[in-house]
């Protein structure tokens, strides 16, 4: 197994006792049995930053053991501290080269996602962080897109906002397919409307991406998890039904979100 290579480490810290381990899975692994599978840890999910500025974006990367499909990255000299948040991804490198590996167009990728609130950012703890399984299910495409608008509510509390490729059969968060979530952000509502910026991940769907719903969950009981007490909001041009949008290259504006 390739040892973890640390990038952009900064000053080592005696408190940086962080190890991230887990495994990978996916039927696509059987299609490319001889290609390397790489795990990367980065400060965020910005693929352009990972590609163009790896020293300031990537924290570490390592190869997956092909016999066990497992990985273990010792980050004790990375400067990473318990409580920091990271993006953890695994990808099949179909065009390996003499450079720091990064997910490229045509590769296949999977990433850690919190199944309870759909966040793609993992909060590390001291010692071993076993994130279990990363499913490699999404092809990587080459586009940059984002959605902006205003969340129209006078509520107070934390809010989850995400882009979901329909069809949508239920507004129950438990019924959502994680592989159809293509963008995620969080907001703090302060009692008045708040503008948002929602980056779209270029994974799994290529532009134009039709039938995309912009959904939000207001954490009414402040427990950090979607549940029955929370309020559901969405973009609509014909209340009270959600209205889908089409994601194309660039910025889609004025996609306001309402609660009913």
């Amino acid at each position: 197994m390739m040892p973890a290579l640390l990038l952009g480490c900064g000053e080592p810290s005696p408190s940086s006792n962080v190890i991230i381990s887990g495994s990978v899975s996916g039927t696509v692994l059987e299609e490319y049995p001889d290609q390397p599978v790489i795990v990367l840890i980065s400060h965020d999910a910005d693929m352009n930053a990972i590609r163009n500025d790896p020293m300031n974006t990537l924290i570490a990367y390592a190869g997956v053991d092909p016999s066990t499909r497992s990985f273990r990255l010792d980050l004790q000299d990375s400067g990473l501290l318990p409580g920091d948040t990271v993006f953890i991804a695994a990808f099949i490198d179909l065009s390996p080269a003499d450079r720091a590996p990064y997910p490229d167009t045509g590769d296949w990728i999977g990433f850690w996602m919190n199944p309870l609130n759909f966040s793609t950012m993992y909060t590390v703890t001291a010692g071993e962080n076993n994130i279990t399984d990363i499913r490699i299910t999404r092809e990587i495409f080459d586009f940059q897109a984002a959605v902006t608008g205003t969340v129209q509510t006078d509520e107070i509390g934390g809010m989850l906002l995400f882009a979901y490729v329909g069809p949508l059969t239920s507004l129950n968060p438990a019924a959502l397919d994680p592989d159809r979530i293509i963008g995620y952000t969080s907001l703090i509502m302060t009692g008045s409307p708040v503008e948002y910026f929602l980056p779209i991940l270029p994974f799994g769907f290529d532009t134009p991406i039709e039938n995309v719903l912009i959904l939000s969950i207001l954490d009414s009981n402040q427990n950090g998890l979607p549940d029955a007490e929370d309020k559901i909001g969405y973009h609509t041009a014909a209340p009270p039904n959600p209205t889908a949008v089409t994601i194309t290259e660039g910025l889609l504006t004025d996609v306001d979100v309402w609660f009913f």
Side-chain angles (χ1 to χ4, degrees):
M1 182 184 300
M2 179 195 300
L5 178 62
L6 306 179
L7 299 175
C9 301
E11 292 297 323
S13 167
S15 300
S16 299
N17 179 26
V18 174
I19 297 170
I20 295 178
S21 61
S23 60
V24 301
S25 65
T27 57
V28 70
L29 294 170
E30 308 299 336
E31 299 178 29
Y32 303 102
D34 299 323
Q35 298 301 121
V37 180
I38 307 296
V39 173
L40 65 83
I41 314 294
S42 67
H43 292 292
D44 59 45
D46 186 341
M47 288 298 103
N48 286 298
I50 291 173
R51 180 182 304 149
N52 300 321
D53 190 17
M55 293 302 295
N56 290 314
T57 309
L58 274 175
I59 298 170
Y61 65 87
V64 170
D65 187 326
S67 62
T68 63
R69 293 181 177 170
S70 64
F71 59 88
R72 190 172 188 269
L73 287 80
D74 186 343
L75 305 176
Q76 65 177 344
D77 294 324
S78 68
L80 198 63
L81 298 174
D84 288 346
T85 58
V86 296
F87 177 71
I88 306 171
F91 66 98
I92 303 175
D93 192 359
L94 297 182
S95 54
D98 187 18
R99 53 160 171 75
Y102 55 75
D104 208 352
T105 304
D107 291 345
W108 286 79
I109 194 169
F111 47 88
W112 180 87
M113 178 183 288
N114 188 324
L116 299 178
N117 64 10
F118 315 120
S119 171
T120 59
M121 300 302 292
Y122 178 83
T123 302
V124 300
T125 59
E128 190 91 16
N129 292 253
N130 190 309
I131 62 169
T132 62
D133 185 51
I134 295 179
R135 296 173 56 248
I136 300 177
T137 59
R138 305 193 192 203
E139 185 177 357
I140 299 174
F141 295 98
D142 184 18
F143 67 83
Q144 295 184 60
V147 181
T148 66
T150 301
V151 178
Q152 302 284 0
T153 182
D154 58 2
E155 299 280 354
I156 295 175
M159 177 176 292
L160 310 175
L161 186 75
F162 51 97
Y164 185 84
V165 181
L168 183 68
T169 58
S170 170
L171 287 176
N172 181 353
L176 300 178
D177 179 356
D179 283 341
R180 304 187 78 83
I181 296 174
I182 58 172
Y184 167 93
T185 191
S186 59
L187 301 170
I188 299 297
M189 306 307 298
T190 58
S192 60
V194 172
E195 294 182 354
Y196 74 85
F197 179 85
L198 179 62
I200 301 299
L201 297 171
F203 308 148
F205 298 87
D206 196 9
T207 54
I209 311 173
E210 299 179 341
N211 199 26
V212 177
L213 298 161
I214 307 301
L215 306 173
S216 62
I217 302 174
L218 180 68
D219 189 10
S220 300
N221 56 12
Q222 302 294 299
N223 67 354
L225 302 173
D227 52 37
E229 297 181 29
D230 294 341
K231 295 182 178 179
I232 305 296
Y234 43 83
H235 171 66
T236 179
N241 300 312
T243 300
V245 298
T246 297
I247 302 296
T248 57
E249 180 89 18
L251 187 64
L252 180 62
T253 61
D254 300 322
V255 184
D256 289 357
V257 171
W258 303 81
F259 288 81
F260 298 95

